[in-house]
Amino acid sequence: MDALAGFPDRFEVGVSTAAYQIEGAVTEDGRGPSVWDTFAHTPGRVKNGDTGDVACDHYHRWPEDVALMADLGVDAYRFSISWPRVQPTGSGALNTPGLDFYDRLVDALLQRGIAPLPTLFHWDLPQALEDEGGWLSRATAERFAEYAGHVADRLGDRVRRWITLNEPVVHMAEGHAWGGGAPGHSLMFGALPVAHHQLLGHGLAARVLRERGATQVMITNNCTPVLPASDDEADVMAAAMYDSFHNRLFNDPILLGAYPEMLASFLGDLVQEGDLEIIHAPLDALGINYYNPTRIAAAAPDADLPFDPQPIEGVPITAFGWPVVPGGLRDLLVGLKDTYGEALPPIYITENGCSTADGTDDAFRIDYLRGHLDALKSAIDAGVDVRGYFIWSLMDNFEWSEGYSQRFGLVRVDFETQERTPKDSFRWLRTALAARKPA
Ligand code: FCB
């Protein structure tokens, strides 16, 4: 029960969710359609034809979900705001009932002593903006900053910390390069504008949020330590390329004000004068989502992409088939400190967790979390400034193209009845959180 012992004072422990994965109520109270509504309703895109139409019905059941978090005893809750719920077409008119929903949620969290940490974009772009080019279009960055301002106008008296974007790399790669997520484009390297426009959107929004009194602006990047499949020069080169594509493309411009050399030429004249200064604006903290390392080999000469992901063998795997390598979290964090030095701001782990077989006996998850907390502690001992740890996820939810087949929750959700049942890991974490506090 000492999983949370030995962390710095005021180290924050929380849980994470995202709007499309839990809210449901997709046509209620004036919400507009998002790219994920369109994608999930396109036959063949999501496993078993699942959609987020109902998801965890959190839009109606949020008081119960807040009560669960209060019972768990977390310090903070990371959730995302659905842009099409707040601004149905992504520009112009706001939808007051949508803003009211988040207003009530924030108040309820604060009343329970749970710090709200909203993410402004977790992949559910208003479909109307997608129809005008989506993140392939530079204009979307400006619309995003306007939307961020509207949300801050409404919540900024109580919320002073914000995450702009969730995992821009995954939205670029899954959504626009290989097409496994919404909006479902398969543009390969043609997806790179989506990286630049999201980063520009982050920088513009950060400015707007600060003007409205934000004291902590972050972005959440998905980062993975990249392991070459062998010492072979071709594999080492391919691994470096993958590292540039997955990690450095998003960390370098934000922390150093420049794109990684290996990719700069692909971005060409997309990058206008002044863009990098906007993107490189001071960041109060960096959010990192960590799930596993990635092993990379060189691809066949005629392949679409120059890298070829390989399985990692000899380690446990989650229900999703993802390798469990807790030490990768330490290596990642120490590696970031080595790479960015003084330019690295404090870090929050904004997602970490695993999917397990359905049920409430999830000893696998307890081991997973314990292992990753240990790795985190050793990164902190090695001098990395980590301020918080958020578990993905509070409850089982709509896992994107996997639908309801992957269960990441501390709380089981019965998707027929919407009954919530805490799993063993929930009770384990509750005990660890309670033990952390002075008697
Ligand atoms: C991350 C996403 C999150 C969730 C987890 C499992 O990439 O940010 O929404 O689906 O994976």
Side-chain angles (χ1 to χ4, degrees):
M1 280 313 140
D2 55 356
L4 293 173
F7 280 93
D9 270 359
R10 300 171 65 189
F11 184 83
E12 223 174 350
V13 177
V15 284
S16 277
T17 64
Y20 188 71
Q21 295 180 274
I22 64 166
E23 285 181 3
V26 292
T27 54
E28 246 170 277
D29 292 344
R31 178 187 180 278
S34 78
V35 293
W36 264 98
D37 296 283
T38 309
F39 187 82
H41 280 274
T42 307
R45 290 299 210 171
V46 176
K47 204 176 214 166
N48 304 319
D50 290 345
T51 72
D53 288 4
V54 178
C56 305
D57 195 31
H58 172 77
Y59 187 72
H60 300 114
R61 294 171 193 260
W62 60 270
E64 184 182 350
D65 297 335
V66 172
L68 277 166
M69 285 185 267
D71 180 30
L72 182 56
V74 283
D75 305 312
Y77 174 42
R78 172 178 179 244
F79 58 99
S80 84
I81 290 176
S82 160
W83 185 348
R85 198 180 286 293
V86 162
Q87 196 179 32
T89 60
S91 61
L94 299 177
N95 180 41
T96 307
L99 282 163
D100 292 346
F101 169 71
Y102 296 108
D103 199 276
R104 286 193 295 266
L105 177 65
V106 162
D107 280 347
L109 290 167
L110 291 172
Q111 270 159 24
R112 303 281 201 146
I114 301 169
L117 178 54
T119 300
L120 286 159
F121 180 70
H122 200 125
W123 307 347
D124 46 357
L125 190 76
Q127 182 62 41
L129 286 187
E130 177 62 24
D131 296 343
E132 288 163 25
W135 286 110
L136 287 162
S137 156
R138 191 179 165 93
T140 297
E142 283 157 32
R143 296 297 83 75
F144 177 67
E146 290 160 11
Y147 148 72
H150 294 310
V151 177
D153 281 341
R154 181 66 188 267
L155 304 180
D157 56 335
R158 284 149 292 156
V159 176
R160 301 229 155 63
R161 57 201 311 234
W162 302 92
I163 295 173
T164 54
L165 306 175
N166 177 69
E167 298 188 349
V169 65
V170 177
H171 192 56
M172 172 191 74
E174 288 294 334
H176 301 78
W178 20 101
H185 303 308
S186 304
L187 301 168
M188 298 301 165
F189 273 86
L192 282 171
V194 174
H196 183 62
H197 297 147
Q198 285 183 96
L199 287 164
L200 186 62
H202 156 77
L204 292 170
R207 212 181 248 182
V208 165
L209 293 168
R210 273 186 217 294
E211 283 164 10
R212 285 163 175 76
T215 54
Q216 193 179 51
V217 177
M218 358 181 178
I219 183 169
T220 279
N221 281 339
N222 178 300
C223 292
T224 181
V226 184
L227 318 166
S230 78
D231 293 342
D232 200 85
E233 204 189 315
D235 288 344
V236 173
M237 275 298 294
M241 185 60 169
Y242 189 79
D243 184 39
S244 281
F245 182 80
H246 191 105
N247 298 315
R248 302 198 68 139
L249 178 59
F250 297 90
N251 289 332
D252 282 17
I254 287 174
L255 301 177
L256 306 176
Y259 278 110
E261 228 169 84
M262 274 183 173
L263 289 172
S265 62
F266 290 94
L267 288 157
D269 47 13
L270 272 177
V271 186
Q272 298 183 9
E273 218 184 310
D275 285 3
L276 282 162
E277 285 75 62
I278 294 169
I279 295 169
H280 181 45
L283 193 71
D284 304 295
L286 177 64
I288 302 271
N289 291 354
Y290 170 75
Y291 287 94
N292 50 254
T294 308
R295 191 162 158 259
I296 293 288
D302 57 347
D304 284 331
L305 293 165
F307 34 74
D308 186 12
Q310 302 290 311
I312 295 180
E313 273 152 18
V315 298
I317 54 165
T318 71
F320 214 144
W322 295 357
V324 179
V325 188
L329 178 57
R330 181 192 186 277
D331 297 347
L332 171 71
L333 294 170
V334 171
L336 285 170
K337 180 135 167 86
D338 290 347
T339 305
Y340 297 105
E342 291 302 305
L344 187 69
I347 289 175
Y348 286 80
I349 304 302
T350 40
E351 285 180 29
N352 178 239
C354 61
S355 69
T356 53
D358 190 12
T360 55
D361 46 343
D362 59 344
F364 188 95
R365 176 168 292 103
I366 297 175
D367 284 350
Y368 182 101
L369 297 175
R370 202 198 301 275
H372 286 78
L373 282 164
D374 278 352
L376 193 55
K377 221 181 298 173
S378 77
I380 294 173
D381 291 344
V384 187
D385 184 359
V386 186
R387 304 273 174 98
Y389 177 77
F390 288 72
I391 293 164
W392 185 272
S393 179
L394 168 65
M395 56 188 162
D396 296 339
N397 58 47
F398 176 81
E399 177 46 38
W400 308 115
S401 58
E402 290 290 313
Y404 298 100
S405 70
Q406 297 300 330
R407 292 175 172 269
F408 278 86
L410 296 167
V411 175
R412 176 175 189 269
V413 176
D414 179 326
F415 292 106
E416 298 293 317
T417 63
Q418 291 297 338
E419 192 189 350
R420 277 97 162 115
T421 312
K423 302 184 189 179
D424 290 349
S425 58
F426 180 100
R427 284 182 282 278
W428 170 81
L429 182 66
R430 182 173 55 190
T431 307
L433 283 163
R436 185 184 60 146
K437 290 179 184 130

